[in-house]
Amino acid sequence: MPIQSFIPPQRTLMGPGPSDVSPRVLSALARPTVGHLDPTFIGMMDEVKSLLQYAFQTKNTYTMAISAPGSAGMEACFVNLITPNDTVVVCRNGVFGARMIENVQRIGAKAVVVDGTWGRAVDPQALEDTLKQTPQATFVAFVHAETSTGALSDAKTLCEIARKHNCLTIVDAVTSLGGVELKVDDWGIDAVYAGSQKCLSCVPGLSPVSFSDRAAEIIKNREIPVQSWFLDQSLVMGYWSGEGKRSYHHTAPVNSLYALHESLLMLQNEGLENSWARHKAQHEKLASGLEALGISFVVPESERLPQLNTVHIPEGVDDAKVRQFLLNEYNLEIGAGLGQFAGNAWRIGLMGYAARNENVLLCLAALKEALAR
Ligand SMILES: *Cc1c(COP(=O)(O)O)cnc(C)c1O
């Protein structure tokens, strides 16, 4: 048979991402492509910047979207700010903290690790203790919302501690942006990266980032060039800002940026606080339904991410069989456990457009039937 057009099934995405994309965002994607230096497109990019400033709650001029997924946003923050002379204190309480350490080590800098328990928030006291013993530290890096475990860390307090010890901060907000409170300026975050496909209801492939003035200064005054040409922000900014005369760096993913623009506009129309409240309300509904099914949470209540619910797989239940049943019978995707939690936990996402009443009800009904079998 000749190859035919790919028509994907209509799934409900309640895993760790990508999450359900809003139909409004999907239709924005299908609008006609324009040149990436077209004046109308440049106007739209300026709007993306200001919508991102709202989403991040920042006045940072250095706010834009990297043309690649969240992992590239992570790498952009590290390779632009860190040089081999730096000592970076990295908090690790899941998979993504471990990736931060990889980034630091590949740059040739020193990573000092604050190890935490999987499924728990980063312990501020442990960070404080490590910083006291590491006076040469220049940066602190941590994950705000650990998608591998479902734990939310207290970014405000961690940034305060870092500042007290004269360190700049790099914060992973891939899963937090739009889903839980995040205040880049109030909390004094110096570099932050996010993802389009988690709580923004957008397609995968873009990574919003923002750098404080202090971080931008470091990037401008680097003596050694950033080893990644593509992610070198001093070059990328010539395209995203350029004050009237933009220079070609790479071809922007034009249609994907229409999608991000639409999703950020939806977030602004809903209001950030309302979006956080919606994620929390849906989480509470899901949590009480799961508990009624005898399914318990991995993360203590005060440290739970509303948008990513990590739960123990009940005794005697076949992990893969249940997830297959949900997918085949309900077109419903939930996430498997990752790392230490592989095989013993599920990760149920309520991110962005997926954080809706009908999704919670579908998930509970489907799980109930799956467990009954
Ligand atoms: C999903 C995720 C990433 C990576 O994003 P990609 O878009 O998959 O590259 C990084 N950090 C966290 C916390 C994430 O949840």
Side-chain angles (χ1 to χ4, degrees), residues 12-281:
T12 299
L13 300 180
M14 296 179 72
S19 58
D20 274 355
V21 176
S22 153
R24 258 181 74 174
V25 171
L26 286 177
S27 63
L29 261 180
R31 289 173 194 150
T33 304
V34 296
H36 74 117
L37 293 171
D38 188 299
T40 61
F41 184 67
I42 285 169
M44 193 216 67
M45 284 171 85
D46 288 337
E47 290 181 353
V48 168
K49 277 166 69 173
S50 78
L51 290 165
L52 278 177
Q53 286 170 332
Y54 170 71
F56 277 129
Q57 294 286 283
T58 183
K59 294 195 169 71
N60 291 340
T61 39
Y62 226 94
T63 302
M64 32 133 326
I66 305 270
S67 303
S71 306
M74 178 188 285
E75 190 148 345
C77 289
F78 283 91
V79 297
N80 281 276
L81 288 170
I82 311 291
T83 54
N85 293 331
D86 283 306
T87 297
V88 186
V89 172
V90 184
C91 306
R92 172 173 59 188
N93 60 340
V95 165
F96 293 102
R99 289 192 180 175
M100 287 177 149
I101 296 167
E102 277 262 324
N103 270 276
V104 173
Q105 289 169 342
R106 285 179 185 225
I107 292 165
K110 187 170 182 338
V112 175
V113 182
V114 180
D115 255 320
T117 312
W118 274 54
R120 298 299 306 267
V122 171
D123 176 8
Q125 190 58 49
L127 173 62
E128 175 96 59
D129 294 346
T130 303
L131 282 169
K132 274 186 192 149
Q133 287 159 17
T134 322
Q136 75 278 24
T138 42
F139 286 88
V140 166
F142 64 88
V143 179
H144 186 205
E146 241 308 343
T147 324
S148 62
T149 69
L152 175 67
S153 289
D154 180 352
K156 182 173 183 241
T157 299
L158 297 174
C159 287
E160 258 167 38
I161 294 169
R163 207 166 33 252
K164 203 169 80 189
H165 291 269
N166 293 316
C167 288
L168 272 73
T169 43
I170 299 178
V171 178
D172 179 319
V174 174
T175 284
S176 48
L177 184 67
V180 286
E181 184 182 33
L182 170 66
K183 296 193 163 169
V184 169
D185 286 358
D186 284 0
W187 298 352
I189 297 173
D190 290 293
V192 62
Y193 58 92
S196 48
Q197 82 280 25
K198 309 264 167 118
C199 293
L200 295 182
S201 318
C202 186
V203 288
L206 289 171
S207 178
V209 294
S210 185
F211 295 95
S212 71
D213 290 344
R214 284 204 300 171
E217 236 7 73
I218 289 177
I219 296 172
K220 271 187 220 138
N221 296 325
R222 278 180 68 106
E223 279 163 15
I224 22 173
V226 174
Q227 73 264 31
S228 164
W229 179 86
F230 182 68
L231 293 174
D232 183 340
Q233 293 306 289
S234 60
L235 304 176
V236 174
M237 277 314 278
Y239 175 57
W240 269 85
S241 59
E243 309 287 296
K245 54 174 181 55
R246 296 198 185 217
S247 52
Y248 166 66
H249 176 260
H250 64 278
T251 306
V254 172
N255 292 58
S256 295
L257 283 166
Y258 299 166
L260 182 65
H261 181 275
E262 191 72 17
S263 69
L264 291 169
L265 183 61
M266 285 171 53
L267 181 63
Q268 194 181 65
N269 290 345
E270 179 179 17
L272 260 183
E273 286 79 5
N274 293 335
S275 177
W276 301 335
R278 172 169 54 84
H279 284 86
K280 187 160 188 288

